[in-house]
Amino acid sequence: MNRVVGAVRTAWWWTGSLMGDHDYSRYVEHLRRNHPDAEVPTEREYWKARYADADANPGARCC
């Protein structure tokens, strides 16, 4: 049973990583480590800026 629970948690974490669920927390860690004087945006501000940047610079997206 423990193996099944562990596998489900791993799959859930991996899916979250793939979808970007951990991006904000990694960004905050980066800011605090490398730019301690920088203001940390709220999660809402972070995603708003990220989506605006993706729309402004579509890169290799298909759509």
Side-chain angles (χ1 to χ4, degrees):
M1 185 65 171
N2 286 339
R3 285 183 145 183
V4 172
V5 171
V8 169
R9 285 182 179 164
T10 300
W12 190 259
W13 179 88
W14 183 81
T15 303
S17 292
L18 186 65
M19 300 303 291
D21 292 352
H22 310 292
D23 291 353
Y24 175 71
S25 59
R26 279 188 293 203
Y27 179 69
V28 170
E29 280 182 38
H30 166 80
L31 279 180
R32 290 188 174 147
R33 190 177 328 116
N34 298 309
H35 311 282
D37 296 332
E39 185 176 329
V40 176
T42 65
E43 189 168 0
R44 182 181 179 130
E45 292 169 338
Y46 168 79
W47 286 110
K48 187 175 181 180
R50 183 167 168 171
Y51 288 131
D53 183 59
D55 285 343
N57 304 302
R61 278 194 329 219
C62 67
C63 308

